[in-house]
Amino acid sequence: MKKKYSVLIVEDEPHAQENLKRLVAHEGDLELVGTAATVEEADALSKSLNPDLVFCDVMLPPQTSFDWLMKLETIPFELIFTTSYEEFAVKAFRLSAIDYLIKPISTSDFEEALERFREKKGNSKAQVNQLLKNLNLPAEHAKIALPTLTGYLFVEVKDVIRCESDNTYTTFFTTDKKKILVSRTLKDVEQMLEDYRFFRVHNSHLINLDYVNEYFKGEGGQVKMSDGAVVDVSRRRKEEFLNLLRK
């Protein structure tokens, strides 16, 4: 028998709450056990209902959901935030590996977030902590959350030299010579790092432009990175890459 996941919706906007209820009702393995519209209701219901998954609005006037979550010693449920935040906040969600849905929530985005939830073994408290830090940190100190077998490893974005794809996995190479294999596609990683100085020079390679030491001419050419790795540049990405290097 398919496992049923209990769901709590924390949302103060009636229209958004009804939309989430409708989306949850269409999923055979989800069971809605409660709804809350305030931080106080969310805290009480999460303790009495022990949900597996909480859809959580960020803004719950006069407070935010962070005011509630950071008071918890541990967060014993998975989180999918719903938000109308501007793009700068969305970047922080991506880096912290916390799922989020932009309002109004589409069925396709909802389904994608659910698939990640079903596959996920998370550490929500650490992720929320890092999310809050990334919201307030200057870009040069932002950290990316890398999923490991035991939870998440948090690495400063500026310490990532390059990323290499292996089908559905990506290996991160860092300035302290670590090689970190994570269950993320290179496309996912590219989206997380798109607002930093990273460029996908090849289908299999995403590089930090700050660590390019040399460029070797050729049909597409190659770059030598600060860790000594020589990476191919695809022909169709060559011109854009060279333009970025000149900036």
Side-chain angles (χ1 to χ4, degrees):
M1 181 179 284
K2 203 172 186 181
K3 176 177 171 57
K4 280 266 190 183
Y5 298 104
S6 56
V7 173
L8 172 65
I9 293 173
V10 180
E11 172 61 70
D12 68 321
E13 299 173 23
H15 177 73
Q17 190 180 106
E18 287 304 314
N19 186 40
L20 272 171
K21 285 181 182 179
R22 178 182 59 79
L23 290 166
V24 167
H26 277 85
E27 299 296 324
D29 61 344
L30 299 186
E31 181 182 6
L32 180 63
V33 293
T35 58
T38 66
V39 164
E40 291 76 17
E41 288 177 1
D43 187 51
L45 286 177
S46 67
K47 289 172 181 173
S48 64
L49 298 172
N50 297 313
D52 297 306
L53 172 63
V54 175
F55 288 96
C56 194
D57 188 10
V58 172
M59 303 304 295
L60 297 167
Q63 295 175 283
T64 72
S65 53
F66 301 133
D67 295 320
W68 159 48
L69 294 168
M70 296 316 297
K71 289 177 184 176
L72 303 177
E73 189 173 334
T74 60
I75 299 176
F77 42 78
E78 293 296 339
L79 281 161
I80 297 177
F81 283 98
T82 59
T83 178
S84 301
Y85 268 15
E86 296 299 325
E87 185 62 24
F88 82 93
V90 168
K91 296 170 194 171
F93 278 103
R94 283 181 183 164
L95 290 173
S96 307
I98 286 196
D99 273 318
Y100 63 94
L101 293 166
I102 301 294
K103 299 178 189 177
I105 299 166
S106 70
T107 302
S108 59
D109 288 345
F110 181 82
E111 293 286 350
E112 285 181 20
L114 270 187
E115 280 307 305
R116 289 191 291 270
F117 157 71
R118 290 172 181 130
E119 295 170 1
K120 192 176 182 182
K121 292 178 182 176
N123 183 353
S124 294
K125 184 68 173 182
Q127 289 169 273
V128 170
N129 268 315
Q130 192 54 52
L131 169 62
L132 291 177
K133 288 177 184 175
N134 280 341
L135 283 169
N136 296 302
L137 281 173
E140 61 268 24
H141 295 299
K143 288 188 177 182
I144 187 170
L146 304 180
T148 66
L149 290 174
T150 55
Y152 286 87
L153 180 65
F154 297 98
V155 175
E156 286 203 32
V157 171
K158 67 179 177 61
D159 292 336
V160 178
I161 297 173
R162 60 191 179 91
C163 305
E164 186 173 338
S165 171
D166 182 11
N167 294 319
T168 58
Y169 290 85
T170 297
T171 301
F172 283 71
F173 296 82
T174 63
T175 53
D176 58 0
K177 299 184 179 179
K178 285 182 181 174
K179 288 175 27 175
I180 307 163
L181 181 68
V182 301
S183 178
R184 286 283 187 277
T185 66
L186 194 61
K187 182 180 179 181
D188 290 337
V189 175
E190 184 181 16
Q191 288 178 340
M192 291 178 189
L193 298 174
E194 66 184 357
D195 296 300
Y196 301 87
R197 279 182 53 79
F198 284 80
F199 185 77
R200 192 165 178 175
V201 291
H202 188 277
N203 282 344
S204 301
H205 298 284
L206 180 72
I207 65 170
N208 187 332
L209 297 174
D210 291 333
Y211 293 112
V212 174
N213 280 0
E214 286 184 81
Y215 171 72
F216 304 115
K217 291 181 179 179
E219 187 175 3
Q222 294 178 314
V223 288
K224 186 174 183 180
M225 304 300 294
S226 63
D227 62 351
V230 176
V231 175
D232 289 333
V233 179
S234 73
R235 183 175 58 182
R236 68 186 182 85
R237 299 174 194 263
K238 175 181 176 179
E239 185 176 351
E240 186 181 357
F241 168 64
L242 291 176
N243 286 337
L244 283 172
L245 274 187
R246 295 185 188 108
K247 288 183 179 179

